[in-house]
């Protein structure tokens, strides 16, 4: 299952470190090349020799213990990893990672690593629920770190509560699922729109909305990480745009329409997370509009509904719209799905705390023609995006036998 994959296993100092031995052994049995970094505290719970024997590689503890003069070890380990797995991950290591501290071999390597990170926390329940730990995990979650939740049961400190390291079998399964998801959308072309359109009425002023682009960006990232080739059409955004995809910047709904249409024929999936203006000023002044009377009346005209236009021209593309609602969420969302001929509609109640515009989390209800498909709790936008893209991947027409065997 894990042949050809290089996993950097970070073992940190908690009693659950003993389970890292079994985890390491199972990863190696699945075909992974496993390199282990231990913290000094981890080495008090389990010997490096155990991990060396099971991983069949030197175990790294000290940043300055450079065994191979040809490389800088922490950079080399970071660069070679397809995945970084922290198990067990202590509150201290999570805090260091969240705040960019690099004071030992593991934290230094983590700072240098660009590979995805999966962390399996294990600690006392009060440490796990401490606001600092919660905030650190939220921050890491927003940066794309995935977590394998600890289990509930007898903790070494005597409590019966949440905080036990997930079992090695569960962690290996999660790692397998992670690698499998990397090819879920291989060969698919995905177009994502994000941000709020800007409708100018003079050279320095425009009508826009609160969209930060975070939701659309998370969707584009999730599609990219599932192997798709992604075009991101982004209007006005405040969040940093992701890399590893074609990025097309637009201002107005009209420009977004043109860019979306020009890529529509080659697209397999289109996700319209952008908040597009429904109306735009009829007149766009060439020079800055001067203050005159006490009131100003501006006439607006309807814009083209991009999603509805794509829905009309649909020839096998899988079309997904978003619905930002403040009332009668399900009813409005279903209405939009039908009117715009989309395959799914993702409704967010933008009056809900932790959902909608500008925040890092969302809580969505996903509908198809038959009604509610999935209601997701408040999750990071990245997690929401991954769930959505997995749902879409499941609904794509299955490959034919010939294609599948290629
Ligand atoms: O960007 P964030 O800060 O992360 O916030 C995320 C979000 C709230 C912007 C996003 O999740 C969301 O809900 N996007 C859609 C917002 C919206 O415009 O909803 P709507 O109900 O007005 O439109 C419904 C659908 O039609 C949307 O897919 C929209 O892109 C599309 N539409 C609308 C008008 C128009 N002229 N053309 C369109 O394509």
């Amino acid at each position: 299952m894990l042949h050809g994959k290089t996993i950097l296993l970070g073992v940190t100092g908690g009693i659950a470190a003993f389970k890292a031995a079994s985890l390491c052994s199972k990863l190696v049995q699945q075909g992974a090349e496993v390199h282990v970094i231990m913290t000094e505290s981890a080495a008090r719970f389990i010997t490096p020799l155990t991990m060396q024997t099971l991983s069949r590689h030197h175990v790294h503890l000290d940043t300055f213990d450079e065994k191979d003069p040809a490389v800088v070890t922490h950079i080399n380990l970071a660069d070679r990893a397809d995945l970084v797995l922290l198990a067990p991950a202590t509150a201290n290591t999570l805090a260091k990672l969240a705040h960019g501290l690099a004071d030992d071999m593991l934290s230094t390597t983590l700072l240098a690593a660009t590979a995805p990170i999966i962390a399996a926390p294990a600690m006392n329940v009060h440490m796990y629920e401490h606001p600092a730990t919660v905030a650190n995990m939220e921050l890491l979650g927003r940066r794309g770190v995935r977590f394998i939740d600890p289990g509930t049961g007898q903790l070494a400190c005597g409590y019966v509560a949440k905080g036990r390291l997930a079992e090695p079998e569960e962690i290996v399964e999660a790692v397998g699922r992670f690698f499998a998801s990397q090819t879920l959308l291989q060969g698919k072309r995905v177009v994502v729109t994000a941000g709020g359109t800007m409708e100018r009425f003079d050279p320095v002023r425009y009508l826009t909305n609160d969209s930060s682009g975070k939701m659309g960006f998370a969707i584009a990232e999730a599609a990219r990480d599932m192997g798709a080739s992604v075009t991101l059409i982004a209007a006005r955004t405040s969040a940093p745009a992701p890399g590893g995809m074609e990025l097309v910047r637009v201002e107005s709904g009209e420009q977004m329409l043109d860019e979306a249409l020009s890529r529509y024929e080659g697209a397999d999936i289109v996700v319209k997370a952008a908040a597009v203006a429904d109306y735009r000023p009829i007149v766009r002044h060439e020079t800055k509009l001067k203050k005159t009377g006490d009131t100003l009346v501006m006439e607006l005209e309807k814009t083209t509904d991009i999603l509805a236009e794509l829905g009309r021209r649909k020839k096998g593309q899988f079309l997904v719209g978003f619905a930002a609602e403040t009332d009668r969420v399900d009813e409005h969302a279903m209405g939009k799905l039908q009117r715009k001929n989309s395959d799914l509609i993702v409704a967010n109640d933008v009056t809900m705390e932790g959902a909608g515009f500008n925040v890092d989390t969302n809580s969505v209800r996903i509908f198809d023609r038959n009604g509610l498909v999935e209601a997701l709790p408040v999750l990071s936008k990245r997690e929401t995006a991954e769930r959505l893209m997995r749902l879409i991947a499941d609904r794509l027409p299955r490959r034919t036998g010939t294609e599948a065997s290629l």
Side-chain angles (χ1 to χ4, degrees):
M1 196 166 79
L2 299 176
H3 275 284
K5 301 297 179 197
T6 300
I7 297 176
L8 185 59
L9 175 60
V11 184
T12 70
I15 181 62
F18 81 92
K19 289 191 189 172
S22 161
L23 173 63
C24 177
S25 163
K26 288 182 194 316
L27 292 170
V28 172
Q29 282 169 40
Q30 295 282 338
E33 179 171 324
V34 181
H35 294 275
V36 179
I37 301 180
M38 297 175 78
T39 60
E40 292 288 345
S41 331
R44 291 175 176 233
F45 288 99
I46 177 171
T47 70
L49 182 61
T50 305
M51 300 307 290
Q52 175 178 305
T53 310
L54 293 168
S55 67
R56 298 168 202 154
H57 290 287
H58 282 302
V59 169
H60 307 271
L61 276 118
D62 180 357
T63 323
F64 301 101
D65 183 15
E66 291 284 7
K67 293 200 167 59
D68 179 357
V71 295
V72 175
T73 309
H74 64 278
I75 303 295
N76 186 39
L77 287 169
D79 286 351
R80 289 172 63 192
D82 295 307
L83 174 71
V84 178
L85 179 60
L86 292 175
T90 56
N92 181 51
T93 294
L94 294 174
K96 288 207 271 185
L97 180 56
H99 298 284
L101 298 184
D103 62 355
D104 63 6
M105 180 62 181
L106 180 59
S107 52
T108 307
T109 310
L110 286 173
L111 214 53
T114 54
I117 299 175
I118 297 182
M123 63 196 79
N124 163 273
V125 62
H126 297 313
M127 293 171 81
Y128 185 65
E129 289 173 354
H130 192 285
T133 308
V134 171
N136 287 335
M137 288 178 60
E138 275 174 11
L139 180 59
L140 292 171
R142 286 201 293 277
R143 289 197 203 131
V145 174
R146 295 160 171 81
F147 288 96
I148 302 174
D149 275 353
T152 298
Q154 180 79 45
L155 304 181
C157 51
Y159 284 88
V160 177
K162 192 165 182 173
R164 280 166 68 117
L165 179 68
E167 292 307 318
E169 294 77 7
E170 282 174 59
I171 299 177
V172 174
E173 258 178 50
V175 168
R177 273 200 307 277
F178 164 77
F179 282 119
S181 80
Q182 286 187 316
T183 56
L184 262 186
L185 292 174
Q186 207 158 46
K188 301 293 176 200
R189 279 155 302 178
V190 179
V191 176
V192 181
T193 69
T197 56
M198 299 160 63
E199 305 299 340
R200 290 193 179 273
F201 54 90
D202 79 9
V204 293
R205 301 187 185 105
Y206 48 82
L207 303 179
T208 189
N209 57 64
D210 279 336
S211 174
S212 61
K214 288 177 184 172
M215 190 66 244
F217 288 176
I219 291 167
E221 279 174 346
R224 175 200 64 196
D225 293 347
M226 290 178 181
S229 107
V230 180
T231 297
L232 172 60
I233 305 174
R236 179 177 169 273
T237 57
S238 53
M245 59 190 72
E246 182 194 17
L247 174 64
V248 183
R249 282 288 180 183
V250 296
E251 273 200 358
S252 65
E254 198 66 30
Q255 290 167 356
M256 183 173 278
L257 172 71
D258 290 345
E259 298 294 349
L261 283 180
S262 73
R263 286 163 182 81
Y264 196 41
E265 211 173 289
D268 299 294
I269 301 165
V270 180
V271 185
K272 283 228 70 263
V276 185
D278 289 326
Y279 292 91
R280 65 173 171 218
I282 293 181
V283 177
R284 182 172 165 173
H285 298 270
E286 291 296 322
T287 52
K288 191 178 165 204
L289 195 58
K290 291 284 171 264
K291 186 160 50 179
T292 48
D294 286 345
T295 58
L296 173 73
V297 176
M298 187 184 295
E299 228 184 324
L300 304 178
E301 64 183 354
K302 237 187 192 162
T303 57
T304 307
D305 191 312
I306 307 169
L307 182 58
E309 190 55 40
L310 299 179
R312 259 191 297 280
R313 298 178 187 214
K314 193 156 72 172
K315 285 197 194 112
Q317 294 91 342
F318 195 92
L319 196 52
V320 183
F322 265 73
E325 301 298 344
T326 54
D327 66 319
R328 294 169 29 217
V329 176
D330 295 12
E331 190 186 321
H332 288 311
M334 279 305 279
K336 283 177 185 171
L337 175 119
Q338 276 148 9
R339 279 198 305 282
K340 303 184 188 212
N341 192 25
S342 65
D343 297 285
L344 291 177
I345 197 113
V346 184
N348 29 199
D349 179 347
V350 293
T351 63
M352 245 180 89
E353 196 169 331
F357 292 100
N358 229 328
V359 287
D360 293 321
T361 50
N362 210 352
S363 172
V364 301
R365 292 166 68 75
I366 306 173
F367 297 85
D368 71 5
R369 244 146 241 288
N370 300 317
L372 185 66
V373 176
E374 215 171 330
L376 297 182
V378 176
L379 297 170
S380 68
K381 282 188 172 161
R382 176 58 203 239
E383 175 77 24
T384 306
E386 277 181 20
R387 302 268 198 112
L388 173 64
M389 293 316 293
R390 258 186 253 138
L391 189 70
I392 295 171
D394 270 356
R395 287 172 172 238
L396 292 182
R398 296 267 166 248
R399 294 197 208 177
T400 64
T402 345
E403 276 180 301
S405 64
L406 286 176

